[in-house]
Amino acid sequence: LQDVFSACEKEVERSRRQVNPDTLSLVETFEKCLAENAARFDDRISPASEIAQAAAAECQFKWLSILKSSSTQPSEWNSRMDEYPSKAVRGAALRAVLLNRRAALPESRPKSAGK
């Protein structure tokens, strides 16, 4: 998520325009999409990077929404989507997979009071 926020901040600095207030909620929606799809696709056998790639592919239109709400010029949207997923998006998707796998580990679950 930090990489996604950094990417948005860089876009703001470049254009020196205000970010649409909805951008933060769109970033949260994008992150939720990555997490949901990481859980949906993860078979716990495939490499995490492959699961992350599939999750990112499912969330590409949510990323486009972020671009449209940010200071990115409409003329850049197509080129940005041609580069999708960027390094920042791949990193966010991989983190979603790894967090999902960690949450699934037995030792990460709360212990029962009777055990």
Side-chain angles (χ1 to χ4, degrees), residues 4-107:
V4 173
F5 282 121
S6 295
C8 288
E9 287 174 0
K10 286 178 185 176
E11 290 298 327
V12 171
E13 289 173 19
R14 249 186 278 191
S15 68
R16 299 188 189 268
R17 294 182 185 173
Q18 291 279 337
V19 172
N20 183 328
D22 293 331
T23 300
L24 183 56
S25 68
L26 290 171
V27 169
E28 291 169 352
T29 300
F30 177 72
E31 182 182 56
K32 182 179 177 183
C33 179
L34 291 176
E36 289 171 353
N37 283 290
R40 187 175 107 194
F41 292 130
D42 198 356
D43 59 6
R44 309 286 194 284
I45 297 169
S46 301
S49 59
E50 289 181 13
I51 303 301
Q53 183 177 345
E58 288 293 309
C59 301
Q60 66 183 338
F61 294 110
K62 302 225 184 294
W63 183 253
L64 180 59
S65 295
I66 292 170
L67 290 177
K68 288 181 175 182
S69 75
S70 72
S71 59
T72 304
Q73 297 296 319
S75 59
E76 293 181 39
W77 295 346
N78 285 337
S79 65
R80 289 294 184 87
M81 289 309 292
D82 287 343
E83 297 169 359
Y84 185 87
S86 66
K87 183 179 178 182
V89 170
R90 286 191 309 267
L94 184 57
R95 276 191 301 283
V97 173
L98 296 176
L99 288 171
N100 180 55
R101 287 185 176 183
R102 182 180 214 190
L105 292 174
E107 62 268 11

